[in-house]
Amino acid sequence: MEQDSLPTDIILTHPLEHLGQIQLDWTPQPGNYLNLYGKTYAILERHHHYQYRLGGYRLHRISVYVQAAQKPQEKSWVEGRWVIGDANCRLNARSELLRCAVNPTGPCDGCRYFE
């Protein structure tokens, strides 16, 4: 196993289903998107699994919990990270997972609640 590549279990949250295990050369973060078997998934949670070897614990694999999603077209850069939607709107959640409470699926452009 390469040091830069970790086995990653992909688990669908609802209904709970193991979608498979892949090798990733990047660290998945909640709010990132992952393409797997022609579908796009939003990463909701990440869990690390360690194994004791050679006198210490080493990261052995990662599990990510995902849900089916479409990659958002609207993103804003806020405080060093990308958030969904137009961050200039007062109702924007400033989140990688949720756009806003009144129009969570978007788009922000033309939304009657935009403030």
Side-chain angles (χ1 to χ4, degrees):
M1 177 172 71
E2 295 177 11
Q3 196 166 4
D4 294 350
S5 178
L6 283 170
T8 304
D9 290 314
I10 311 299
I11 303 165
L12 186 64
T13 56
H14 187 73
L16 192 60
E17 178 184 350
H18 186 266
L19 297 177
Q21 187 178 76
I22 59 174
Q23 297 287 121
L24 290 180
D25 58 355
W26 55 282
T27 304
Q29 299 286 341
N32 290 148
Y33 291 86
L34 176 71
N35 292 320
L36 184 68
Y37 308 126
K39 292 185 179 179
T40 302
Y41 297 94
I43 298 174
L44 303 176
E45 292 181 40
R46 179 187 71 209
H47 295 243
H48 291 170
H49 304 274
Y50 293 89
Q51 192 172 48
Y52 188 77
R53 285 200 171 164
L54 302 172
Y57 286 95
R58 294 181 188 241
L59 184 58
H60 175 64
R61 69 182 165 87
I62 297 172
S63 294
V64 292
Y65 291 81
V66 300
Q67 74 178 16
Q70 289 186 349
K71 196 168 188 175
Q73 300 301 316
E74 299 173 305
K75 294 190 290 187
S76 301
W77 185 256
V78 176
E79 298 175 3
R81 62 191 174 93
W82 287 102
V83 299
I84 298 174
D86 187 344
N88 293 320
C89 178
R90 187 178 67 81
L91 300 174
N92 186 281
R94 312 274 189 297
S95 166
E96 301 94 342
L97 300 173
L98 179 68
R99 179 184 315 267
C100 72
V102 295
N103 188 15
T105 58
C108 295
D109 188 34
C111 175
R112 66 182 179 161
Y113 299 106
F114 188 89
E115 294 180 20

